Amino acid sequence: MKKIISWVAGSFFRQAGRFLFFIVIGGLIFLLIQHNNIQFKWTDLLGIETVKASTSTYSSRTLQLSEITYMELMGNDLRNNIEQFNVNSNYWLGLNRLSGDKIPVSQTNKKFTLQSSRFYNANFDYVYFNLYTMITVCSSGSSSALCSEISGARPTFSLNNLPCEIIDYSETIIGDSSSSNGGRSIYQNISYKCPNTSSGGGYVQAYFDNFNYNYMYARIGINRTIWYSNLGLTDNAAIIEAIRGSNAGVTGAIEGQTQQQEQQHNETMSTITDTNTTSDSNTTATFFNETNTTSELALTSIVSAPIALINNLVVGSHDSICAILNSKQICLPSGDIIWNRTSVGVHDHWFHGGTLEAFISFFNLVVGGFILYKCLLSLFNSVHKLLDPANSWVGVMKL
Amino acid sequence: MKLIVSAICGFLMNLIGLILGPIDTLIAQYIPTLSNALTSVANFFSWLVQFVNWALSWLPLTTDTWSFIVAVLIFRLTVPLLVDTVKLVVRWWHALAP
């Protein structure tokens, strides 16, 4: 009887304690949300933002030539020169002057502007533009050093004076630096993600402030197909796939993706079979810079998630956890702000040779040493079982 | 040790991407609804990975320790299976040999 009462009372108080614990935690979360005036949505954790007035997460529309009402390039009003031109089966709207119509670029006004009331869609939070530029540099005897600088330079882009972010970029460089061969030309295809706003008059503007070119063939435009979405700030994968599919078609996208994967695979194999061990660190570091651990492909990301976790642990990549709640970005810092594994930061003076370094050494010696001891013991047992000819756990598996 | 484990992880991720990349592209092109759903699941997994990584970052263990633990786990999950399979095949060979 005494045992029964003790068991019942113990169970009751244990459950009461758990219940109280959950109430306290819930109350703290409630107070936090109320204090910060946060409108919490569970979908935020999944990277999904609810669609306000549309049943789909993204949509597109095709601009007409007549819907572009104003164009300006380098300070010149070119509204009578707006054209639709074709590049690689895609139709672009903008200026289409080719060779012979080079425009000298001043140092103060490197701006391309288009205006249309159709850039805004009330149902969506973001609008996407594909910018196409054809830029010729080094055609007046500039040095090859200047030519090399131009590669990778990307124009900044804004919609109604709100800056846009680059979500996809590709470039093709042809020609060389000699003026006799016409100079070097760069073709750029850039996808921008812009905050969708109606205030400002419907202007998109591309700035070329970081370009050190001399002349430019005036062939700049935006793709006729523009996209809208309500996808979150960090979730660009679906819309990038859609834009790429729209630009290149599914066949080209598959071929490009396959070639890229094959190239990465070959690089991996060549890295593994490299017998020159003196450059292991550099080779591997370069290789992993090119490895896309946050793949934009859904299935690939799902399957490779555990491997990504292991890789992050081993490489030592610790990111803060951030969530956008009611347009506020709240971040929980990673442990690196205390342990300072990278030895860079505000705790440098505290870390090097100080109390923290001593504590880390002590912790790794005691806890890490115990874990490693257990690992070695487990390893020894594994090897010991392998040496036993009668021990085979594969033999009892239902294969 | 760290480089070897990292190389294995990178190789596996690239191999998975090589196999599933075209399928992902096809799904994104022809079944965008399914692609959106898969992307949501992938985002959730990515968030989980980030969260676990963030939680473990508060342990003051060095990356070398983690590398060693992962390497031991890889060894324990792969080598015994391989060796035992070879032993099983050898045992079958002896049993079936005339």
Side-chain angles (χ1 to χ4, degrees):
Chain A
M1 188 63 186
K2 186 180 177 182
K3 284 185 177 177
I4 291 175
I5 293 173
S6 172
W7 177 76
V8 170
S11 299
F12 173 77
F13 285 113
R14 272 195 298 274
Q15 289 298 335
R18 288 171 188 146
F19 189 64
L20 189 64
F21 174 75
F22 289 136
I23 287 178
V24 169
I25 295 296
L28 286 175
I29 293 174
F30 179 77
L31 286 175
L32 179 68
I33 291 173
Q34 288 296 316
H35 181 70
N36 291 287
N37 193 23
I38 294 170
Q39 294 177 1
F40 182 74
K41 292 178 290 185
W42 287 105
T43 49
D44 288 332
L45 295 178
L46 300 175
I48 303 169
E49 288 202 0
T50 51
V51 179
K52 287 192 296 191
S54 174
T55 54
S56 61
T57 52
Y58 56 82
S59 179
S60 67
R61 78 179 305 275
T62 303
L63 288 170
Q64 302 303 316
L65 183 59
S66 58
E67 292 172 342
I68 303 293
T69 53
Y70 180 76
M71 180 169 65
E72 177 185 314
L73 178 65
M74 313 299 176
N76 298 314
D77 184 348
L78 298 171
R79 70 184 70 187
N80 295 323
N81 299 85
I82 303 172
E83 289 185 36
Q84 171 178 289
F85 57 92
N86 183 303
V87 179
N88 297 331
S89 303
N90 293 313
Y91 287 101
W92 306 80
L93 298 176
L95 194 62
N96 187 32
R97 288 185 185 171
L98 294 176
S99 178
D101 282 326
K102 293 175 186 174
I103 295 180
V105 178
S106 69
Q107 292 299 316
T108 57
N109 190 3
K110 300 179 178 180
K111 186 173 65 177
F112 171 69
T113 303
L114 281 179
Q115 183 186 23
S116 172
S117 60
R118 296 294 188 175
F119 293 157
Y120 174 71
N121 188 327
N123 294 335
F124 296 91
D125 291 331
Y126 304 102
V127 57
Y128 299 78
F129 295 92
N130 260 34
L131 181 72
Y132 176 85
T133 66
M134 175 183 165
I135 299 166
T136 298
V137 293
C138 309
S139 57
S140 58
S142 300
S143 67
S144 59
L146 183 60
C147 296
S148 61
E149 287 176 9
I150 200 72
S151 177
R154 306 172 186 192
T156 55
F157 198 83
S158 65
L159 171 61
N160 294 330
N161 292 324
L162 292 177
C164 308
E165 65 167 320
I166 295 175
I167 61 170
D168 204 4
Y169 175 83
S170 64
E171 69 175 15
T172 304
I173 302 175
I174 61 170
D176 56 28
S177 60
S178 65
S179 58
S180 59
N181 293 332
R184 173 174 292 180
S185 294
I186 299 176
Y187 300 82
Q188 291 180 315
N189 186 354
I190 317 167
S191 298
Y192 293 93
K193 180 180 188 177
C194 307
N196 191 14
T197 174
S198 62
S199 60
Y203 282 94
V204 292
Q205 292 177 316
Y207 293 90
F208 298 86
D209 287 341
N210 53 351
F211 284 65
N212 292 319
Y213 52 86
N214 300 320
Y215 293 92
M216 183 174 72
Y217 289 132
R219 192 171 194 183
I220 305 177
I222 60 170
N223 199 320
R224 277 188 60 189
T225 305
I226 59 175
W227 295 78
Y228 304 93
S229 89
N230 285 324
L231 299 173
L233 286 173
T234 58
D235 181 18
N236 296 324
I239 197 74
I240 288 175
E241 286 300 323
I243 292 173
R244 284 179 179 170
S246 169
N247 283 344
V250 66
T251 306
I254 291 174
E255 287 176 355
Q257 183 67 33
T258 305
Q259 288 175 359
Q260 183 185 1
Q261 297 291 351
E262 285 179 351
Q263 183 185 356
Q264 288 186 351
H265 175 71
N266 292 334
E267 288 174 359
T268 308
M269 295 306 293
S270 63
T271 304
I272 290 175
T273 55
D274 187 3
T275 55
N276 183 8
T277 55
T278 58
S279 60
D280 272 356
S281 299
N282 293 333
T283 308
T284 311
T286 306
F287 166 69
F288 280 109
N289 286 339
E290 295 169 357
T291 301
N292 188 7
T293 54
T294 55
S295 173
E296 297 167 353
L297 303 173
L299 273 178
T300 309
S301 297
I302 294 171
V303 175
S304 62
I307 306 170
L309 171 64
I310 293 171
N311 194 39
N312 286 342
L313 277 179
V314 172
V315 174
S317 169
H318 305 120
D319 297 325
S320 304
I321 288 185
C322 296
I324 298 170
L325 302 173
N326 195 22
S327 303
K328 294 179 181 176
Q329 190 175 33
I330 298 175
C331 293
L332 295 174
S334 71
D336 288 352
I337 64 164
I338 290 182
W339 311 127
N340 203 11
R341 295 178 177 87
T342 55
S343 300
V344 175
V346 294
H347 300 296
D348 244 12
H349 62 285
W350 189 37
F351 180 84
H352 290 296
T355 311
L356 185 62
E357 189 177 19
F359 172 75
I360 292 175
S361 300
F362 177 77
F363 187 90
N364 277 276
L365 184 68
V366 177
V367 180
F370 179 74
I371 294 173
L372 294 181
Y373 167 73
K374 284 293 189 184
C375 286
L376 284 173
L377 206 60
S378 164
L379 199 64
F380 174 78
N381 287 332
S382 298
V383 176
H384 189 69
K385 286 178 182 175
L386 286 177
L387 295 176
D388 182 6
N391 189 340
S392 172
W393 58 279
V394 174
V396 299
M397 287 173 63
K398 292 182 180 179
L399 299 175
Chain B
M1 181 76 73
K2 190 192 302 182
L3 295 178
I4 293 172
V5 175
S6 296
I8 293 172
C9 292
F11 173 73
L12 288 177
M13 282 193 283
N14 283 322
L15 194 63
I16 292 169
L18 180 68
I19 296 169
L20 294 181
I23 300 173
D24 265 323
T25 310
L26 279 175
I27 292 174
Q29 179 68 23
Y30 292 112
I31 322 174
T33 310
L34 177 61
S35 179
N36 289 339
L38 289 173
T39 303
S40 300
V41 175
N43 284 334
F44 180 65
F45 271 64
S46 174
W47 183 83
L48 275 182
V49 166
Q50 193 181 3
F51 178 76
V52 173
N53 194 34
W54 173 85
L56 292 176
S57 75
W58 285 94
L59 286 175
L61 291 176
T62 61
T63 54
D64 293 328
T65 308
W66 286 117
S67 302
F68 191 82
I69 294 171
V70 171
V72 169
L73 287 176
I74 291 174
F75 181 88
R76 287 215 57 182
L77 293 173
T78 53
V79 175
L81 180 66
L82 177 68
V83 174
D84 285 352
T85 306
V86 172
K87 286 199 295 189
L88 182 68
V89 170
V90 171
R91 197 177 306 129
W92 283 359
W93 173 260
H94 281 304
L96 296 174

